Amino acid sequence: MKNVKVVLLVLSILVCIISASAITINVPGNQPSIQEGINVAVDGDTVLVQPGTYVENINYNGKNVTVSSLFITTADTSYISTTIIDGGGSGSVITFSSGEDSTTSLIGFTIQNGFAVTDGGGIYCNSSSPRLEYLVVKNNTCSNGRGGGISCLNSSILLKKSQIIYNNSIYSGAGGLNCVNSSDIIKKVLIAHNNAVYGGGVYCGFDIDELHPSFESVTIVNNNADTEAGGVYCYDSSPSLVNTIISDNNGNYGIYVNGTGDPTIEYSDFFNNDTGNYYGCNLGTGCIETNPLFVDPSNGDYHLTGNSPCIDAGDPNSPYDPDGTIADMGVFYYDQLSEIQDIEIPIGEFNLSNYPNPFNPTTTISFSIPDVGKVDLLIYNIKGQKIKTLAHHEFALGSHSIIWNGDDEVGKSVSSGIYYYKLNVNGETESVKKCLLLK
């Protein structure tokens, strides 16, 4: 028993020492530059960067540390645009090439004006696995190699909630993002307005040892390639794409597959890509070829409008959007709770309502009519398609209620999301309300 107590005491001391060793290094408060902050850091430390423009070419040099703007402490997204790392046209802005692992992070910056002779004008990653989150990567370039914005070689990065936009370019492949023999995970990322000879938006190549990049809820739009694949070029690569929009890319196909590549493409939208939407591959389950209906694409606003076919069109097995509905396609989900208002038609005293709301699995819809009348109570989905008739007969004057079990006309349960219920009396629409089914 005594030995056990000694071991527990030693473990407790070690935990305290390890916890105490992780410190925050403020830039420029404690160190004058981000690189000097990394240089003095040890694994587990955080380099916290104040707003400003830092003209540096940064190398993590094997340090498994977090480098972040004040965004990490406040969740204020304005720090992303006001905390800038500028490569000054001399080398990659950020380099991971010394085996940095998944505890390494870069969070909340604008990465700009990098110029690499080979790969990765903005961010160069080789044989490393950093987390890259909440970044704007813009105006970076390479004179050769691949990856004007970001280049990943033999790596496994996690790139989330970022924008690779604004004229990243290269004189060969991968204007925006380069993935070579990498199992990169790209989630909630916008890849737009990048230029290359091939693979204007993305280049995926040379998968080995079952390493395949995956793209989930990504929008790849308005990129340009001089030869093949304005959107995504795959050479001997088999990426997976789900809940993704590839639209309006210029340069021979939205996705172009060469060699032995065999991408898995599901629940994605391909629209208006130059020459054709896809070449050398097949679209899988849930894919569409329809205008995604962005809010203002000419001014770079790639949010979805309320009547976009991409709303609730993603993989039903994906995590739900924050509004509790099925995943939308693309980087920006359409907030059905805040953007869609009740449609009220104030004619008469019909008191149309439902309870509970939100509901699961049933809700009771109540209404009143001032006289005997023929009543139709109808359920519609967000796209205006009628899915259920709850009532279609004559009712006496007064108050009535009908239970909806969250099913369609054939009794099949419908998916989570917003639904409209409409009351028609004697052939006239009297009121329309909305309800939310959450499963």
Side-chain angles (χ1 to χ4, degrees):
M1 179 63 71
K2 182 177 180 181
N3 289 338
V4 171
K5 289 181 178 179
V6 170
V7 170
L8 290 175
L9 177 61
V10 170
L11 288 174
S12 298
I13 293 171
L14 286 174
V15 168
C16 291
I17 292 173
I18 292 170
S19 299
S21 67
I23 64 172
T24 297
I25 300 163
N26 282 282
V27 175
N30 302 129
Q31 295 294 328
S33 70
I34 300 171
Q35 185 64 64
E36 289 179 78
I38 293 173
N39 291 346
V40 301
V42 299
D43 288 357
D45 285 353
T46 295
V47 179
L48 188 62
V49 183
Q50 301 295 316
T53 298
Y54 299 81
V55 181
E56 302 188 46
N57 301 98
I58 293 167
N59 194 320
Y60 272 62
N61 290 318
K63 298 288 186 71
N64 296 313
V65 299
T66 293
V67 177
S68 175
S69 70
L70 285 177
F71 167 77
I72 198 173
T73 60
T74 66
D76 182 351
T77 58
S78 67
Y79 286 116
I80 298 171
S81 61
T82 58
T83 314
I84 300 165
I85 309 177
D86 189 305
S90 176
S92 301
V93 184
I94 309 290
T95 296
F96 304 94
S97 62
S98 301
E100 293 87 359
D101 64 25
S102 59
T103 64
T104 304
S105 300
L106 178 68
I107 306 172
F109 292 95
T110 294
I111 309 298
Q112 67 182 35
N113 295 336
F115 180 86
V117 174
T118 54
D119 296 330
I123 298 174
Y124 174 72
C125 183
N126 191 345
S127 303
S128 298
S129 305
R131 297 171 61 93
L132 310 176
E133 301 183 60
Y134 296 97
L135 304 175
V136 172
V137 183
K138 66 176 186 177
N139 296 339
N140 302 284
T141 191
C142 296
S143 61
N144 201 355
R146 303 185 187 95
I150 300 176
S151 183
C152 304
L153 312 175
N154 313 305
S155 295
S156 182
I157 70 165
L158 174 60
L159 176 63
K160 292 175 62 179
K161 297 182 179 178
S162 298
Q163 299 181 8
I164 308 171
I165 59 175
Y166 303 131
N167 202 35
N168 296 292
S169 61
I170 191 169
Y171 300 110
S172 53
L177 173 65
N178 178 47
C179 303
V180 170
N181 189 35
S182 295
S183 56
D184 303 322
I185 299 173
I186 316 300
K187 288 186 176 182
K188 292 287 185 182
V189 173
L190 171 66
I191 301 174
H193 302 286
N194 302 285
N195 299 276
V197 175
Y198 48 89
V202 177
Y203 177 97
C204 300
F206 305 102
D207 294 352
I208 303 173
D209 300 327
E210 301 301 318
L211 296 178
H212 309 294
S214 66
F215 297 80
E216 180 179 342
S217 300
V218 176
T219 297
I220 303 171
V221 60
N222 280 332
N223 300 285
N224 177 74
D226 294 341
T227 56
E228 280 94 22
V232 179
Y233 185 89
C234 301
Y235 188 87
D236 289 348
S237 181
S238 302
S240 66
L241 295 88
V242 65
N243 305 342
T244 288
I245 298 173
I246 299 181
S247 174
D248 298 289
N249 296 286
N250 183 55
N252 289 335
Y253 301 99
I255 181 169
Y256 186 99
V257 179
N258 198 355
T260 60
D262 185 22
T264 300
I265 308 170
E266 297 181 323
Y267 297 97
S268 295
D269 186 16
F270 289 75
F271 177 74
N272 197 37
N273 295 288
D274 181 39
T275 304
N277 287 327
Y278 55 97
Y279 176 87
C281 59
N282 295 306
L283 303 186
T285 304
C287 289
I288 59 176
E289 296 180 73
T290 308
N291 189 340
L293 298 178
F294 297 123
V295 169
D296 190 6
S298 62
N299 289 306
D301 188 346
Y302 299 109
H303 289 80
L304 303 175
T305 60
N307 56 344
S308 169
C310 298
I311 295 172
D312 291 343
D315 185 350
N317 294 316
S318 294
Y320 286 165
D321 286 333
D323 61 0
T325 61
I326 289 175
D328 299 340
M329 295 176 180
V331 60
F332 302 117
Y333 85 98
Y334 183 83
D335 190 344
Q336 299 179 40
L337 290 179
S338 65
E339 295 292 337
I340 300 176
Q341 305 299 319
D342 286 343
I343 302 173
E344 293 282 0
I345 306 176
I347 306 174
E349 296 295 329
F350 297 95
N351 300 318
L352 183 65
S353 64
N354 76 293
Y355 183 83
N357 189 23
F359 71 96
N360 178 28
T362 66
T363 189
T364 299
I365 300 175
S366 302
F367 61 92
S368 300
I369 56 174
D371 204 346
V372 176
K374 176 75 171 296
V375 169
D376 291 296
L377 186 58
L378 311 168
I379 305 293
Y380 292 82
N381 64 18
I382 193 68
K383 296 180 181 178
Q385 302 164 326
K386 187 179 77 171
I387 62 167
K388 179 81 171 182
T389 300
L390 290 179
H392 178 65
H393 55 87
E394 189 173 274
F395 281 74
L397 67 89
S399 298
H400 306 274
S401 60
I402 297 175
I403 294 174
W404 181 37
N405 295 317
D407 57 355
D408 61 15
E409 211 72 84
V410 297
K412 181 180 178 181
S413 294
V414 299
S415 59
S416 293
I418 287 180
Y419 294 88
Y420 294 111
Y421 53 101
K422 179 168 72 172
L423 178 68
N424 292 347
V425 180
N426 296 325
E428 298 290 333
T429 298
E430 303 296 355
S431 188
V432 180
K433 290 287 190 72
K434 72 178 179 185
C435 57
L436 176 61
L437 172 59
L438 289 178
K439 291 185 177 181

